[in-house]
Structure formats: C-alpha cells, structure tokens
C-alpha cells in the first residue's frame, strides 16, 4: 500500500481512489505469484481490519482520558500498566482485539 501511495495514481486527499484494490491485487500477484489474493474479499477485509485496529491504537494513544498509554517504537506495541489496561478494556470492548503482545498488522 505504501508503494501504491508513493506512485500517486490512486491518491485522493486522505484515501485512495476507486480501483486501488484491483491495482493492489495486481502488485501483490507480481510479488507473491502463488498467493492467489483477491481484491475482494481478501485485501478489502484485511484493510478493514487494519483500519479498525489502527483506530483503537490511535484512540488509546491520543484519546481523552486515556493517560498511561505509550508506544514502544522498538517492539512496535502499546505499553501500559495492567491496572490501566483493565480499566480501559472494561469500558472499551473493541480494545480486546489488540491485547496481543504485538500489534498484529505492522
């Protein structure tokens, strides 16, 4: 996706233009010829998951009343004390999806 963005053909403000998934599918086919990844449902689903998880992490790190969260650049994960994490999860159920040691899509 970074390569697709850098080419600039499909850029539109803060998102990609229509048809970017098909171009991404063709780019992946060149690099991973036997993966058989399709724009729909494979790539579209993965991008939706990435957006959802990015929003969760973004809100943890910059949301109101979410002090105590940090980002470990070296290990690529959210760092937080257990008591803060448990408090956050009790009121933000979607956050449970990234309770793994690393943010799974980086």
């Amino acid at each position: 996706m970074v390569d697709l963005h850098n080419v600039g053909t499909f850029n539109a403000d803060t998102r990609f233009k229509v048809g970017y998934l098909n171009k991404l599918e063709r780019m992946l086919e060149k690099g991973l010829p036997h993966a058989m990844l399709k724009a729909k449902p494979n790539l579209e689903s993965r991008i939706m998951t990435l957006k959802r998880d990015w929003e969760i992490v973004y809100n943890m790190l910059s949301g109101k009343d979410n002090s105590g969260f940090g980002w470990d650049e070296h290990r690529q994960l959210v760092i937080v004390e257990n008591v803060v994490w448990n408090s956050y999860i009790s009121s933000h159920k979607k956050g449970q999806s990234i309770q793994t040691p690393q943010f799974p899509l980086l």
Side-chain angles (χ1 to χ4, degrees), residues 11-28:
N11 297 348
D13 295 324
T14 60
R15 56 184 54 197
F16 288 110
K17 293 179 184 175
V18 173
Y20 82 96
L21 281 176
N22 292 327
K23 176 64 176 176
L24 188 57
E25 179 182 322
R26 290 190 301 275
M27 290 170 70
L28 285 170

Side-chain angles (χ1 to χ4, degrees), residues 5-68:
H5 179 271
N6 289 340
V7 169
T9 308
F10 290 93
N11 297 348
D13 295 324
T14 60
R15 56 184 54 197
F16 288 110
K17 293 179 184 175
V18 173
Y20 82 96
L21 281 176
N22 292 327
K23 176 64 176 176
L24 188 57
E25 179 182 322
R26 290 190 301 275
M27 290 170 70
L28 285 170
E29 178 61 30
K30 287 180 184 176
L32 304 167
H34 301 292
M36 297 174 42
L37 294 172
K38 298 296 177 192
K40 292 185 179 184
N42 305 111
L43 301 178
E44 184 177 58
S45 173
R46 191 63 160 174
I47 290 168
M48 287 175 53
T49 301
L50 178 62
K51 286 180 179 181
R52 183 200 68 217
D53 289 349
W54 181 88
E55 180 182 11
I56 291 168
V57 171
Y58 178 82
N59 288 334
M60 282 179 174
L61 299 175
S62 63
K64 293 181 179 180
D65 302 321
N66 287 346
S67 63

Side-chain angles (χ1 to χ4, degrees), residues 81-98:
E81 296 291 328
N82 284 338
V83 68
V84 175
W85 178 258
N86 292 335
S87 174
Y88 180 83
I89 292 300
S90 69
S91 61
H92 298 84
K93 300 299 182 196
K94 290 182 181 181
Q96 291 176 337
S97 67
I98 64 153

